[in-house]
């Protein structure tokens, strides 16, 4: 029998894009339902993009059992929770830090995901804070010595469910194309510098392909497709609800994902995936990318594909590298033998990750440990 906190506060500051709120919203919904969970978010407009049921003008509202609060500077009175999750070192208000004294049993800084080795040594380490409450580093990750991953459950179980989901997601004309041509469905989510021209050039001429993407992603796609005489069916969608995006990950044949949250969730979809990682100074993101590829024991072709997907658009890429990407993607995503190998790799990776307790379970277990220590 677990001892659960009575109250959990999750603090989220939106830096840019949708990953910060994407992770926090997913985490809030994946924790046990018994405690009162309050999610404090400084930017409800971004939140509303991934969850349109949320009213961005309300200071407080309840959604899916979670109390959502607009976190702003004018709040002076705080009641601290038993378990406090500070997402990505977002700096809690001074008055809240004071309210934590003698009340909060467990305070976690939930860090960004990285498969780099050093993470294991820092995971669960305390750092003493001025208010006397120990704060622990909590790192999500792919190995036993990390906090695990946010878990996406099976949402689409069979062809019929896939079709009924796509029927509601896609405009009628696009769904008719999907039904009749049975295209390879690519879910495309990447940053602006992705080598879209190379992607289009890798698509087969003898197979139908459909690319589904959100309105703001790869704005040059249609123009490039015209220039390259691509026959791919391109369907743009308004930014969709996070839950629909999760379904799309499982309905697609290939997931091209980015950031942190879509990247993690794509692992559970068991489909060929490429990661377009958030670019960082001094190309640190490439270390992170390769740390992930090393951790999951990716075969060489997959390491090359991911590295090329991230680097081609960035530099004045050489024709040789472009050709390498095009050949690799064409072979492994579309050729029968190659795609079977990729699928089988993702299946085994899924099995391996499935053995690891989820991030939310590890957080709740850690709370119990904190109680024992106090
Ligand atoms: O939006 P991102 O690029 O966020 C990134 C990462 O968090 C990165 O680590 C961080 O440093 C940077 O922002 C500032 O990509 P990510 O993490 O995949 O988050 C996107 C979220 O949006 C995810 O929860 C899925 C969701 N989503 C929708 O709900 N609807 C959509 O149509 C799409 C395309 C995504």
């Amino acid at each position: 029998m677990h001892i659960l906190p009575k109250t959990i506060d999750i603090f989220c500051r939106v830096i840019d894009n949708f990953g910060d709120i994407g992770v926090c919203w997913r985490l809030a919904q994946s924790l046990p339902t018994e405690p009162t969970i309050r999610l404090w978010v400084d930017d409800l407009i971004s939140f509303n993009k991934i969850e349109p049921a949320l009213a961005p003008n309300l200071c407080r509202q309840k959604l899916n059992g979670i109390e959502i609060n607009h976190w702003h500077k004018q709040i002076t009175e705080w009641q601290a929770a038993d378990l406090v999750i500070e997402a990505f070192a977002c700096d809690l208000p001074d008055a809240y830090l004071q309210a934590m004294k003698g009340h909060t049993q467990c305070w976690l800084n939930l860090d960004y995901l990285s498969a780099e080795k050093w993470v294991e040594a820092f995971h669960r380490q305390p750092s003493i804070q001025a208010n006397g409450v120990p704060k622990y580093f909590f790192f999500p990750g792919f190995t036993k010595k990390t906090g695990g991953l946010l878990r996406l459950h099976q949402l689409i179980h069979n062809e019929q469910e896939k079709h009924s989901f796509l029927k509601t997601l896609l405009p009628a004309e696009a769904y008719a194309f999907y039904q009749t041509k049975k295209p390879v469905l690519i879910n495309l989510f990447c940053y602006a510098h992705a080598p879209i021209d190379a992607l289009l050039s890798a698509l087969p001429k003898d197979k139908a392909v459909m690319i589904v993407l959100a309105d703001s992603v790869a704005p040059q796609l249609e123009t490039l497709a015209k220039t390259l005489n691509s026959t791919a069916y391109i369907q743009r969608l308004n930014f969709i609800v996070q839950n629909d995006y999760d379904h799309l990950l499982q309905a697609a044949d290939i997931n091209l994902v980015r950031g942190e949250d879509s990247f993690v969730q794509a692992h559970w979809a068991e489909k060929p995936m490429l990661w377009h990682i958030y670019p960082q100074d001094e190309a640190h993101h490439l270390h992170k990318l390769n740390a992930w590829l090393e951790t999951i024991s990716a075969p060489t072709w997959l390491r090359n594909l991911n590295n090329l997907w991230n680097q081609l658009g960035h530099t004045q890429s050489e024709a040789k590298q472009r050709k390498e990407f095009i050949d690799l993607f064409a072979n492994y995503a579309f050729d029968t033998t190659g795609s079977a190998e990729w699928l089988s790799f993702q299946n085994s990776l899924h099995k391996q990750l499935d053995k690891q307790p989820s991030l939310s379970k590890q957080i709740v277990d850690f709370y119990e440990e904190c109680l024992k220590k106090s």
Side-chain angles (χ1 to χ4, degrees):
M1 204 36 197
H2 270 300
I3 307 173
L4 292 169
K6 285 202 178 63
T7 47
I8 303 178
D9 274 339
I10 303 173
F11 284 87
C12 174
R13 203 183 288 282
V14 176
I15 306 294
D16 66 358
N17 299 335
F18 305 100
D20 308 289
I21 186 58
V23 167
C24 292
W25 182 221
R26 192 181 293 289
L27 171 65
Q29 294 174 98
S30 64
L31 288 165
T33 50
E34 292 91 332
T36 299
I37 302 176
R38 294 181 301 211
L39 175 57
W40 299 88
V41 185
D42 69 339
D43 172 2
L44 296 181
I45 310 266
S46 295
F47 195 172
N48 169 266
K49 282 276 262 178
I50 64 163
E51 186 46 81
L54 179 105
N57 55 333
L58 291 183
C59 282
R60 177 171 300 161
Q61 59 200 296
K62 206 153 187 179
L63 209 61
N64 300 354
I66 316 290
E67 186 186 305
I68 296 160
N69 295 277
H70 184 211
W71 176 19
H72 55 84
K73 286 201 181 89
Q74 284 74 42
I75 309 174
T76 46
E77 297 266 318
W78 291 93
Q79 278 188 328
D82 300 338
L83 168 61
V84 176
I85 304 172
E86 178 183 344
F88 315 124
C90 63
D91 281 337
L92 303 186
D94 285 343
Y96 191 89
L97 295 176
Q98 294 310 314
M100 287 168 90
K101 280 189 203 166
H103 185 86
T104 297
Q105 316 280 351
C106 186
W107 174 14
L108 305 181
N109 177 59
L110 176 65
D111 243 287
Y112 285 112
L113 174 78
S114 171
E116 290 163 296
K117 266 282 168 221
W118 61 265
V119 161
E120 293 185 345
F122 282 84
H123 175 55
R124 295 159 65 113
Q125 287 300 317
S127 81
I128 303 302
Q129 301 292 309
N131 65 357
V133 184
K135 176 173 169 180
Y136 294 88
F137 295 105
F138 217 83
F139 282 89
F142 296 88
T143 60
K144 271 199 207 134
K145 291 183 181 163
T146 65
L149 301 171
L150 280 173
R151 194 57 230 255
L152 184 62
H153 295 288
Q154 196 70 30
L155 299 166
I156 291 184
H157 300 87
N158 50 45
E159 279 295 298
Q160 201 190 338
E161 285 181 11
K162 179 166 93 178
H163 275 266
S164 47
F165 165 69
L166 290 173
K167 194 172 178 182
T168 55
L169 181 80
L170 299 172
E173 199 183 305
Y175 180 66
F177 177 87
Y178 185 81
Q179 244 191 336
T180 49
K181 303 281 184 209
K182 302 187 175 30
V184 176
L185 182 60
I186 301 181
N187 166 27
L188 175 60
F189 189 34
C190 58
Y191 296 109
H193 62 276
I196 297 300
D197 55 333
L199 173 71
L200 287 168
S201 305
L203 303 182
K205 298 265 180 275
D206 58 342
K207 271 191 190 126
V209 174
M210 181 181 233
I211 303 177
V212 174
L213 73 170
D215 43 14
S216 52
V217 176
Q220 74 280 40
L221 181 67
E222 285 84 347
T223 316
L224 277 171
K226 245 189 206 149
T227 315
L228 296 167
N229 286 327
S230 170
T231 52
Y233 191 108
I234 298 171
Q235 184 57 58
R236 282 200 184 263
L237 300 169
N238 290 329
F239 210 79
I240 56 178
V241 191
Q242 192 186 50
N243 185 260
D244 278 348
Y245 185 77
D246 294 347
H247 280 77
L248 179 59
L249 285 169
Q250 295 183 9
D253 299 299
I254 299 170
N255 286 309
L256 305 180
V257 285
R258 77 180 200 192
E260 172 166 335
D261 192 49
S262 57
F263 163 66
V264 168
Q265 302 317 317
H267 288 79
W268 305 120
E270 290 182 79
K271 301 290 173 56
M273 59 182 280
L274 291 183
W275 184 18
H276 207 229
I277 187 169
Y278 188 76
Q280 286 180 304
D281 291 342
E282 294 167 21
H284 182 67
H285 59 292
L286 297 180
H287 290 288
K288 282 183 160 176
L289 174 73
N290 285 293
W292 168 64
L293 291 163
E294 184 64 29
T295 304
I296 63 167
S297 307
T300 310
W301 58 266
L302 190 54
R303 291 176 194 232
N304 291 346
L305 257 178
N306 273 285
N307 273 285
L308 290 162
W309 180 234
N310 280 280
Q311 289 175 67
L312 277 181
H314 230 30
T315 55
Q316 273 310 324
S317 48
E318 291 165 31
K320 200 174 139 224
Q321 288 173 305
R322 279 189 86 255
K323 184 168 177 333
E324 191 188 348
F325 177 84
I326 293 167
D327 291 348
L328 280 173
F329 198 67
N331 283 339
Y332 283 94
F334 301 104
D335 177 78
T336 328
T337 320
S339 56
E341 192 179 331
W342 201 348
L343 213 46
S344 141
F345 176 79
Q346 296 296 151
N347 291 158
S348 342
L349 179 57
H350 181 280
K351 276 204 191 87
Q352 180 195 319
L353 296 175
D354 205 21
K355 292 185 194 140
Q356 204 190 16
S358 71
L359 178 68
S360 26
K361 172 156 182 6
Q362 295 207 46
I363 287 178
V364 171
D365 290 351
F366 190 70
Y367 172 78
E368 218 172 335
E369 278 182 45
C370 284
L371 282 189
K372 285 179 194 150
K373 273 186 220 161
S374 63

